[in-house]
Amino acid sequence: MIVQSGFQRNFTRIILIKDPITLNNRLAIILSVVFHPLILTTYLFGLLFFLAPDLVGVSAFELPALGSLLLLLWLNTFIAPAIMMFYFKKMGMITSLYVEDAAERRIPYIACVIIYGLATYLFGWQLQPIGELAPQISVILASVTLSLMLIAMVSYFWKISAHATGIGGTIGMLSGLMIRFDESALLIPLLLTILIGGWLMSARLQLNAHTPSQIAAGVFCGLLVSSATVYFFF
């Protein structure tokens, strides 16, 4: 009986591993983590720095300087909010780092708005060489901050998708800059971002994290804010 029981357990594990639903959930989780809304800011700046530096005022920067600037942006826009999230989890203010509970999202989102607002101020006014040579950096950061503010406000009564807002904002920024400045170097990254966006939104639906309307609203919010930013401030 013991041998049979052990065999049954191992067989059950094999079935679970091969279960398409389980595999789809794992892939959906991986996509949700790799393309987390906060890390999308770093991806966006990385694309612009190395493919279209003129559009963000960093064409005069050497490669090491660009790497250092991207690292500084990553620390301010991803690591700082991530540390804050771990602190909230440790203090019991949120039950999961994914913050799936709509009621728990309010304080983390407000904290992210403050962090991004400080980053916008830092790169726009405190780091004078960067603020003078590349004011577009602070403009993009302000755009992300505004998107976070809208998500935070909507989250008080509805669970809008932050992932959809982030990928929508990235698509809007890349497409807006490509069209406005006729920058063909952004075409392939834009197409890949749209493809990834489709996968990401499918992943959020697969995990039952959002409804189609919440995802559609997020994409619209991101596209609207980023497109308006390019139109009025670039």
Side-chain angles (χ1 to χ4, degrees), residues 108-124:
Y109 281 167
I110 292 173
C112 285
V113 169
I114 294 173
I115 290 174
Y116 267 75
L118 291 174
T120 302
Y121 175 72
L122 174 67
F123 284 92

Side-chain angles (χ1 to χ4, degrees), residues 178-217:
M178 186 188 72
I179 294 171
R180 187 176 180 91
F181 298 100
D182 195 24
E183 184 56 73
S184 59
L186 296 179
L187 177 59
I188 300 301
L190 173 61
L191 295 177
L192 289 174
T193 303
I194 294 173
L195 182 62
I196 291 170
W199 290 340
L200 182 60
M201 286 179 277
S202 297
R204 303 307 289 164
L205 290 174
Q206 171 68 29
L207 294 171
N208 291 319
H210 293 285
T211 64
S213 60
Q214 292 168 347
I215 289 176

Side-chain angles (χ1 to χ4, degrees), residues 121-141:
Y121 175 72
L122 174 67
F123 284 92
W125 287 273
Q126 287 300 303
L127 300 178
Q128 285 303 321
I130 297 175
E132 293 175 0
L133 293 174
Q136 299 92 332
I137 293 177
S138 62
V139 170
I140 294 174
L141 288 174

Side-chain angles (χ1 to χ4, degrees), residues 11-186:
F11 183 76
T12 302
R13 289 172 186 165
I14 293 173
I15 294 299
L16 287 174
I17 290 173
K18 292 184 177 181
D19 184 357
I21 296 178
T22 303
L23 289 174
N24 286 340
N25 285 347
R26 289 179 180 176
L27 290 173
I29 291 172
I30 291 172
L31 281 170
S32 297
V33 172
V34 173
F35 297 103
H36 190 277
L38 296 177
I39 196 65
L40 288 176
T41 305
T42 304
Y43 294 161
L44 175 62
F45 277 116
L47 287 173
L48 294 176
F49 282 2
F50 296 106
L51 295 180
D54 290 337
L55 301 186
V56 283
V58 296
S59 56
F61 287 46
E62 298 291 335
L63 187 60
L66 280 179
S68 298
L69 181 56
L70 189 61
L71 176 62
L72 187 59
L73 284 163
W74 177 68
L75 291 172
N76 279 270
T77 61
F78 179 71
I79 294 300
I83 292 174
M84 175 267 301
M85 294 291 288
F86 277 108
Y87 174 77
F88 286 162
K89 177 69 169 60
K90 185 176 180 180
M91 296 297 294
M93 300 175 67
I94 57 176
T95 56
S96 169
L97 293 176
Y98 295 107
V99 199
E100 298 294 351
D101 189 342
E104 292 181 353
R105 289 182 156 209
R106 298 163 187 172
I107 295 178
Y109 281 167
I110 292 173
C112 285
V113 169
I114 294 173
I115 290 174
Y116 267 75
L118 291 174
T120 302
Y121 175 72
L122 174 67
F123 284 92
W125 287 273
Q126 287 300 303
L127 300 178
Q128 285 303 321
I130 297 175
E132 293 175 0
L133 293 174
Q136 299 92 332
I137 293 177
S138 62
V139 170
I140 294 174
L141 288 174
S143 172
V144 180
T145 304
L146 178 57
S147 294
L148 285 170
M149 288 177 63
L150 292 175
I151 294 174
M153 289 187 293
V154 173
S155 293
Y156 271 90
F157 57 89
W158 198 50
K159 189 182 175 184
I160 190 172
S161 173
H163 281 83
T165 303
I167 201 70
T170 304
I171 292 171
M173 187 63 66
L174 290 175
S175 60
L177 291 173
M178 186 188 72
I179 294 171
R180 187 176 180 91
F181 298 100
D182 195 24
E183 184 56 73
S184 59
L186 296 179

